[in-house]
Amino acid sequence: MLIYRYKLILQGGNCSMNNMNYSNDIYGWDKLSKIMFVLGVALIFTKYGIIIGIALVIYSFIRTRSRNINKRTEEMFYYERFEGKVKEYFHNLGSGNFLYNVKSRINSVKQRFNTKKHFLVTKCPNCSQKLRLPKNKGNILVTCPRCLFKFKLRT
């Protein structure tokens, strides 16, 4: 308040309580208003974003002059939550976890391919248990480890 009063005195203005209360009652510039203003100015200079850019600039000024502080604080909360999610996404994208997941999926696909290349996967006719048998061994007698059912199979 003292800084505002000092500015009014330097400008030769009247230091009344109405002016001081108005400056305390408005919301002012916050992070969301600044980002909307900068984005709006940037969009004004594009070919198709002029209308949206002007709307963002006007809305950022309306937000700074608003007296509904609760609503502006709520908007800022939603923006910060959205910004946190975006930052977390890009942080995970660049971290080792993302690359590790991609590498593990690639290795999993390679392993399945090698398994199909060297082994025959079949089911027991009695209990439907999956069995992995070596390929190219001819006619073999297979015993299911689950139900001990024996059957012949060509691999």
Side-chain angles (χ1 to χ4, degrees), residues 66-123:
S66 174
R67 290 183 181 220
N68 191 353
I69 295 174
N70 292 334
K71 186 68 175 173
R72 302 294 86 81
T73 306
E74 184 181 345
E75 289 173 357
M76 186 64 190
F77 171 74
Y78 288 129
Y79 167 72
E80 286 176 347
R81 191 170 68 178
F82 173 74
E83 182 185 33
K85 288 180 182 179
V86 170
K87 283 183 179 180
E88 181 181 341
Y89 173 77
F90 282 108
H91 177 71
N92 290 339
L93 190 67
S95 69
N97 292 339
F98 179 76
L99 295 176
Y100 176 76
N101 289 339
V102 171
K103 287 179 183 177
S104 66
R105 286 183 183 184
I106 291 172
N107 288 336
S108 174
V109 169
K110 284 181 181 178
Q111 191 174 18
R112 271 188 262 140
F113 179 73
N114 285 336
T115 301
K116 287 184 179 183
K117 184 177 178 184
H118 299 291
F119 294 96
L120 172 71
V121 178
T122 187
K123 289 185 178 182

Side-chain angles (χ1 to χ4, degrees), residues 21-22 25-27 63 65-70 72:
N21 287 339
Y22 178 74
D25 290 344
I26 64 172
Y27 187 68
R63 284 190 87 249
R65 294 287 160 209
S66 174
R67 290 183 181 220
N68 191 353
I69 295 174
N70 292 334
R72 302 294 86 81

